[in-house]
Amino acid sequence: MNMKRLYALRGATGAENTADSIRSNVSEMCLTLFQKNNLSPEDIVSIQFTMMSDLTAMNPAAALRRGQNEFDVSNIALFTSQEAQIDNSPEKMIRVLVTCYLPEKSELHHVYINGGEKLRPDFASKK
């Protein structure tokens, strides 16, 4: 029997403060995360984004809904909040937390791209 359990997947991407850049980078980050972890829309409970205050051109949740057609997120709860402002934090970053069901003992693949690698080099180095 293939039992599933609840997991949390992480990721981050940099973006310029334009709707096109946010849409493109959020879509790339999320699609890569979904593919690397063999997720289907039915596996996902929710997707939460945080973004730095210097990114104001588009909400990452709206960016994911509008930025791709390969993965249907229309029935997934999406939420965005502003990242806490901490001294020396990297600029123009969008982070994601995907809560999902995967088979027990799954190897998790987190995705840090487009400048997000500096946040978690330990995860970014795993290709």
Side-chain angles (χ1 to χ4, degrees):
M1 183 174 356
N2 191 7
M3 299 294 295
K4 289 191 173 187
R5 66 162 278 223
L6 194 60
Y7 285 95
L9 300 172
R10 295 292 319 263
T13 186
E16 293 303 316
N17 192 27
T18 67
D20 285 342
S21 179
I22 293 170
R23 187 173 31 253
S24 172
N25 287 304
V26 165
S27 293
E28 178 186 6
M29 173 182 63
C30 289
L31 288 174
T32 303
L33 193 64
F34 302 156
Q35 291 167 352
K36 284 187 172 222
N37 290 285
N38 297 313
L39 288 175
S40 67
E42 297 78 28
D43 297 322
I44 298 176
V45 175
S46 65
I47 301 174
Q48 298 175 44
F49 295 97
T50 62
M51 61 193 299
M52 303 303 292
S53 62
D54 54 1
L55 293 173
T56 59
M58 180 173 235
N59 180 319
L64 180 60
R65 288 204 196 281
R66 296 179 192 153
Q68 54 81 36
N69 296 320
E70 301 92 47
F71 196 91
D72 182 11
V73 295
S74 61
N75 292 317
I76 297 172
L78 305 180
F79 185 80
T80 300
S81 61
Q82 187 173 340
E83 186 73 31
Q85 293 188 346
I86 307 297
D87 291 341
N88 302 314
S89 290
E91 297 177 348
K92 298 180 180 168
M93 284 289 132
I94 300 169
R95 293 171 176 88
V96 68
L97 175 66
V98 177
T99 306
C100 60
Y101 285 97
L102 291 169
E104 285 185 344
K105 299 182 180 166
S106 289
E107 181 179 347
L108 304 182
H109 301 280
H110 306 284
V111 174
Y112 288 79
I113 58 173
N114 303 322
E117 300 89 345
K118 60 188 158 199
L119 297 172
R120 289 300 303 261
D122 52 329
F123 289 149
S125 64
K126 295 178 183 178
K127 299 289 183 208

